Amino acid sequence: MTRDLKAQLSSDQTSLGTWTQIAAPELVDLIGLNGFGFTIIDCQHGPFGIETAENLARAADANGIASAVRLADNDPVQIMKALDAGIRHVVIPNLETADAAQQAVAATQFAPHGLRGACPCCRSGGHFIRNWTDYVAQEEARVGAIALVETAKGVENIKAIANVPGLTALMCGPFDLSVSMGFQGNWRAPEVSAAVEHMVATAVAAGVPVMMPIFSPDQDEAKGLIAHWKAQGVTTFVIGSDKILIADAFSQWTERLGG
């Protein structure tokens, strides 16, 4: 498994990742040591910022897996900080319009292509960039923005979003979408499933890779969901989260060994 997230997204082989919401590098070690190809460090819902995310990304690097970071919003400064910290991809939540997607992409690129702030002393360049021209070419080839579409408005604008040049991938957000559509967390609702199906079909038609969250802690249901989405062109899946997987493992032990 390559640690290059872009390569995983473009492969026809199944790639599995998860969410890192617990600020413990040891858990990232375990994610890497147990076969996952990537993790998404969650600075939106996780109780930590870029300083912690940088160290979690170091653990991902040490274990040979890719990492991305979900930021709290579509903020060019926070995108710059994440990329400078050596985290190659940013996941932008609640992305609802093509203009917002264009802004996210621009924030990952240096002038004249974009608006990313430039600094020769950052982790992404080994803390002292001696050849700026080569660094820019390498950096812009390996970083990217992932659009997390998770609202009814985002679904309405999905065709325009998916056709924004430079997006690394589109991620569907079934849970938030269910809340936005009035189903209060019921991501299995037929109307929510239909909206996600529409997003996937639109992204695939536009040639944009799709990342699909798989929330179910039931392994048989999760396996069925993966098979369903693979048949529609999805190969990259975000399984549960560190909290969901750990809680499920704990409950299996207590259920089997409890009095």
Side-chain angles (χ1 to χ4, degrees):
M1 176 72 69
T2 175
R3 61 185 280 184
D4 183 340
L5 187 56
K6 284 186 177 180
Q8 292 184 45
L9 286 161
S10 63
S11 173
D12 59 2
Q13 300 297 309
T14 302
S15 178
L16 302 181
T18 190
W19 295 95
T20 289
Q21 294 183 311
I22 300 174
E26 294 90 345
L27 283 178
V28 179
D29 291 340
L30 290 170
I31 289 168
L33 291 167
N34 285 280
F36 286 98
F38 65 92
T39 191
I40 303 174
I41 301 164
D42 192 353
C43 284
Q44 182 187 23
H45 294 294
F48 50 78
I50 292 297
E51 297 90 340
T52 297
E54 181 180 28
N55 284 327
L56 296 172
R58 285 190 173 102
D61 292 345
N63 287 279
I65 63 172
S67 64
V69 59
R70 175 164 63 177
L71 298 174
D73 54 29
N74 192 6
D75 179 355
V77 173
Q78 292 304 307
I79 292 173
M80 176 196 69
K81 285 180 173 290
L83 299 180
D84 282 358
I87 307 171
R88 303 299 184 203
H89 286 82
V90 290
V91 177
I92 307 301
N94 300 316
L95 205 147
E96 295 184 315
T97 66
D99 286 344
Q102 289 167 353
Q103 176 180 310
V105 171
T108 69
Q109 305 288 308
F110 297 106
H113 307 116
L115 47 82
R116 178 179 171 184
C119 176
C121 300
C122 54
R123 181 173 180 260
S124 64
H127 298 290
F128 178 32
I129 300 163
R130 292 172 172 82
N131 187 323
W132 181 259
T133 301
D134 286 351
Y135 166 73
V136 169
Q138 294 166 1
E139 184 75 348
E140 294 194 347
R142 64 194 175 193
V143 305
I146 298 167
L148 174 51
V149 180
E150 51 188 345
T151 65
K153 182 178 178 180
V155 174
E156 290 175 6
N157 294 321
I158 192 62
K159 185 173 182 179
I161 293 169
N163 282 280
V164 169
L167 276 181
T168 295
L170 186 142
M171 180 187 291
C172 301
F175 194 91
D176 272 281
L177 179 59
S178 74
V179 175
S180 174
M181 294 177 65
F183 293 97
Q184 299 306 318
N186 181 14
W187 53 268
R188 297 179 178 88
E191 294 88 345
V192 177
S193 296
V196 176
E197 298 261 1
H198 172 61
M199 286 197 286
V200 170
T202 303
V204 170
V208 179
V210 175
M211 302 181 82
M212 180 61 68
I214 302 294
F215 287 110
S216 176
D218 181 88
Q219 293 183 17
D220 289 335
E221 183 181 24
K223 188 173 182 179
L225 288 168
I226 288 173
H228 172 79
W229 293 118
K230 284 181 69 175
Q232 298 185 51
V234 181
T235 61
T236 306
F237 301 92
V238 191
I239 307 300
S241 71
D242 51 6
K243 293 180 180 181
I244 290 173
L245 298 178
I246 290 169
D248 183 58
F250 284 171
S251 68
Q252 289 186 41
W253 281 94
T254 55
E255 287 170 5
R256 292 177 183 176
L257 303 181

